[in-house]
Amino acid sequence: MTGQKIVTPSAESLAASARSAKGKGLPPVHLWNPPFCGDLDMRIARDGTWYYLGTPIGRKELVKLFSTIIRKDGDDYFLVTPVEKVGITVDDAPFVAVDFDPDGDALVFETNVGDRVVASSENPIRVLRDEETGEPSPYILVRANLEALIDRKSFYRLVEIGVEENIDGIDWFGVTSKGTFFRIIPAAELA
């Protein structure tokens, strides 16, 4: 035995570590490389609800705190502090874009945890379509591999302001923000 105390991670220990590491802005989780401490029974549902031990986390401040220490490595999601790294389950995307506002030539999105992000070449919008139903799932990159699912009402508003643009000989329907055109659907498939 090395005499080192083995600590089992919990939501409380993660929150305490995240609070102590919090400064101005987002914590530098991309720079932290703590040991993997196992998986935590924490899940983010497709609608953006965070669950711990099967129960929704009702404290919005706690969800916002956890949202600042989430990281995606490959296809896996983790909550990372300077001393702990735990796996969590994300059903679709870790955030939900719940609204957007046009601001000059930009579309500024707001997430369910209060992040604001401008759609641009650095924060692109992408739309996946279900192969069987054709139903779209639109996303915007929020930060470092982390996307927000654009909610239905916001997606409908995007469609209302959409335009057609020819790209490589194909007419696409999409939206433009900060000089970048984001494809939604081939124009020929519009009903």
Side-chain angles (χ1 to χ4, degrees), residues 21-30 32 64 67-69 115 143:
K22 190 160 174 64
K24 292 187 179 205
L26 292 169
V29 295
H30 63 288
W32 296 339
K64 286 180 94 165
S67 77
T68 66
I69 60 168
D115 289 323
R143 62 178 180 265

Side-chain angles (χ1 to χ4, degrees), residues 165-182:
E165 188 167 312
N166 188 286
I167 300 173
D168 298 327
I170 299 173
D171 289 329
W172 282 89
F173 180 79
V175 294
T176 300
S177 179
K178 297 302 279 182
T180 301
F181 180 77
F182 302 103

Side-chain angles (χ1 to χ4, degrees), residues 50 67 70 93-97 111-113 115 142-143 146-149:
W50 288 59
S67 77
I70 191 168
F95 308 116
V96 176
T111 71
N112 59 317
V113 293
D115 289 323
V142 175
R143 62 178 180 265
L146 301 173
E147 291 182 310
L149 174 67

